[in-house]
């Protein structure tokens, strides 16, 4: 039995008729950019997140850039974010004209460490991007306290956390996208909520920020041919929005399936010596965008090779922390500046995780992993 890392064809197959009907509706209206399909998806996604505003944009990277620019962050500013995110999180800071500062993560959760963020604040720091990595929400209460003390904006990078919740200090559970002032989502097809192509969105509770994002995604126009800013063509087309409305309808079922699979993985993995799990923070309901484990760094590649030989696909998210990427050598944050992220990068393995994975496939992964660990240790 082979086990793929994800199976996107299986994911969309049950909704085929709904996607085709959505497609036909857009064809019939002739509104391919903007129009009701975009407005309907934005309203549905805002309601899902519990945020007053959602603005659909071309990609998750654009969502981050527009969120930062809408907050007035730009040249001369610094924005702190996690060293162990996808490169786009830092890239967006650079595209907004600011400088990324990479901070370390908590060793148990691999989420941004608020104490390390506080240590890296300078007079130029204007914002923090909290990354909800692997489907778990960052410690927004502690990050909010750091931000308040230094008057910083907080942006949620929610690209991996559609539908994840975390309990606030007031006891209320909030979804990704409705915790900080502004949040950015990706709808890349492998995400928990995926388009049939590229897509992204900004959510916010701030009407002025929503208005700025709407202008920036449409060449900085406040009205037709009234350009108040140098913006972008970052609009998400109607076909993608129509398809996203279909995908949104099965997001909760997909997340529930991921949680069931993760519970099975975690129960069985706990019995395997040499495997470390990522801790779920108290009060947090993760959506397991990825199923990541940690093993001895010296044996990680041999374990992955053995799994591959057994037909089990794995990945690494992410093999090199952002501050050690060549593109950011000029930042001067060399090896040792984020030791937890650096160690984790050498130890992590992402195991197969997608809603249509079966319990039998999970058992196959764990049996093969047990053999690979025994061989590596022996
Ligand atoms: C944490 C994180 N941030 C940002 C992005 C960028 O999103 P996109 O690929 O839609 O530009 C991604 C996904 O690719 C991501 O995983």
């Amino acid at each position: 039995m082979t086990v793929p890392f994800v199976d996107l064809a299986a994911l969309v197959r049950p909704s085929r008729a709904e996607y085709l009907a959505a497609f036909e509706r857009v064809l019939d209206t002739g509104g391919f950019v903007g129009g009701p399909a975009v407005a309907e998806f934005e309203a549905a996604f805002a309601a899902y997140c519990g945020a007053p505003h959602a603005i659909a944009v071309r990609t998750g990277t654009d969502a981050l850039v527009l969120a930062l620019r809408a907050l007035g962050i730009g040249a001369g500013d610094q924005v702190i974010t996690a060293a162990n995110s996808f490169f786009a999180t830092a890239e967006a800071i650079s595209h907004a004209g600011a400088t990324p500062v990479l901070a370390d993560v908590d060793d148990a959760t691999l989420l941004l460490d608020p104490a390390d963020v506080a240590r890296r604040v300078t007079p130029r720091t204007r914002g923090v991007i909290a990354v909800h990595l692997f489907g778990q929400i960052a410690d927004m209460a502690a990050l909010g306290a750091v931000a308040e003390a230094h008057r910083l904006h907080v942006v949620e990078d929610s690209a991996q956390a559609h539908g994840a919740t975390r309990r606030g200090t007031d006891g209320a559970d909030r979804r990704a996208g409705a915790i900080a002032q502004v949040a950015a989502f990706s709808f890349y097809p492998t995400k928990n909520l995926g388009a049939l192509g590229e897509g992204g969105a900004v959510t916010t509770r701030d009407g002025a920020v929503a208005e700025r994002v709407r202008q920036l995604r449409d060449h900085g126009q406040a009205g037709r041919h009234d350009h108040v800013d140098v913006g972008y063509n970052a609009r998400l087309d109607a076909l993608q929005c129509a398809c996203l409305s279909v995908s949104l309808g099965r997001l909760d079922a997909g997340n529930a399936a991921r949680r069931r699979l993760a519970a099975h993985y975690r129960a069985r993995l706990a019995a395997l010596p040499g495997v470390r799990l990522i801790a779920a923070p108290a009060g947090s309901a993760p959506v397991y965008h990825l199923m990541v484990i940690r093993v001895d760094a010296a044996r990680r590649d041999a374990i992955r090779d053995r799994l591959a030989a057994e037909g089990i696909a794995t990945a690494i998210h992410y093999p090199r922390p952002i501050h050690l990427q060549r593109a950011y050598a000029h930042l001067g944050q060399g090896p040792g500046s984020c030791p937890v992220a650096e160690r984790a990068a050498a130890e992590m393995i992402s195991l197969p995780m997608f809603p249509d994975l079966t319990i039998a496939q999970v058992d196959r992964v764990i049996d093969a992993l047990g053999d690979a660990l025994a061989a590596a240790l022996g």
Side-chain angles (χ1 to χ4, degrees):
M1 181 198 287
T2 61
V3 187
F5 190 67
V6 288
D7 186 347
L8 293 179
L11 188 70
V12 296
R13 199 171 294 126
S15 309
R16 185 185 171 88
E18 282 178 84
Y19 284 123
L20 292 177
F23 225 83
E24 284 182 354
R25 270 199 306 281
V26 175
L27 287 184
D28 290 342
T29 65
F32 302 124
V33 177
V38 178
E40 280 164 24
F41 171 66
E42 289 179 339
F45 189 60
Y48 180 85
C49 294
H53 310 276
I55 306 99
V57 296
R58 202 169 40 179
T59 62
T61 309
D62 281 345
L64 286 165
V65 175
L66 269 59
L68 292 169
R69 283 203 53 193
L71 292 169
I73 291 172
D77 299 333
Q78 292 176 339
V79 177
I80 302 173
T81 193
N84 69 334
S85 183
F86 181 56
F87 187 72
T89 310
E91 200 178 29
I93 297 168
S94 300
H95 281 309
T99 303
V101 173
L102 288 319
D104 213 349
V105 293
D106 176 77
D107 189 48
T109 62
L110 298 185
L111 297 169
L112 194 53
D113 175 2
D116 198 54
V117 170
R119 276 193 289 278
R120 291 177 201 259
V121 171
T122 74
R124 288 174 55 200
T125 311
R126 291 283 314 284
V128 177
I129 301 181
V131 182
H132 300 330
L133 196 71
F134 306 151
Q136 304 208 121
I137 294 187
D139 186 350
M140 300 305 286
L143 288 169
V146 174
E148 206 174 302
H150 299 281
R151 301 171 59 81
L152 310 176
H153 295 290
V154 181
V155 175
E156 297 173 64
D157 183 339
S158 302
Q160 301 188 3
H162 318 73
T165 64
R166 186 157 176 170
R167 190 149 303 159
T169 44
D170 58 358
D173 292 331
R174 287 187 187 78
R175 278 191 170 150
I179 304 175
Q181 187 186 4
V182 192
F185 287 86
S186 165
F187 303 130
Y188 187 76
T190 56
K191 302 300 194 221
N192 292 40
L193 176 60
L196 304 186
E198 305 280 357
V202 175
T203 57
T204 180
R205 58 169 171 256
D206 184 326
V209 167
E211 190 52 34
R212 281 266 301 147
V213 171
R214 285 187 193 284
Q215 289 174 1
L216 286 167
R217 83 168 165 183
D218 195 16
H219 302 289
Q221 293 183 97
R224 194 156 166 77
H225 299 306
D226 177 19
H227 300 267
V228 294
D229 213 333
V230 175
Y232 310 83
N233 178 352
R235 301 177 301 248
L236 184 59
D237 40 74
L239 281 172
Q240 287 304 343
C241 287
C243 293
L244 276 162
S245 290
V246 174
S247 305
L248 183 60
R250 50 152 215 269
L251 174 59
D252 281 341
N255 283 344
R258 287 172 185 271
R259 285 180 175 140
R260 275 196 303 277
L261 293 161
H264 190 70
Y265 258 127
R266 294 177 74 88
R268 285 210 54 202
L269 287 168
L272 282 190
V275 171
R276 219 179 131 193
L277 298 170
I278 311 293
S284 148
V287 289
Y288 297 98
H289 173 58
L290 293 167
M291 182 69 217
V292 177
I293 59 167
R294 294 170 72 173
V295 297
D296 178 9
R299 298 184 173 84
R300 192 257 310 264
D301 292 347
I303 292 168
R304 286 194 69 213
D305 287 348
R306 220 184 131 106
L307 290 173
E310 295 284 322
I312 293 165
T314 62
I316 303 174
H317 296 87
Y318 297 91
R320 188 182 303 163
I322 295 172
H323 63 289
L324 301 181
Q325 294 288 349
R326 281 182 289 171
Y328 282 132
H330 63 278
L331 295 178
Q333 287 193 242
S337 81
C338 296
V340 179
E342 289 165 35
R343 196 167 53 247
E347 295 175 349
M348 289 185 291
I349 302 178
S350 303
L351 301 176
M353 171 56 88
F354 51 94
D356 298 283
L357 191 69
T358 64
I359 292 290
Q361 285 176 310
V362 173
D363 283 335
R364 170 82 189 100
V365 173
I366 294 165
D367 291 343
L369 180 64
D371 292 345
L373 282 161
L377 291 170

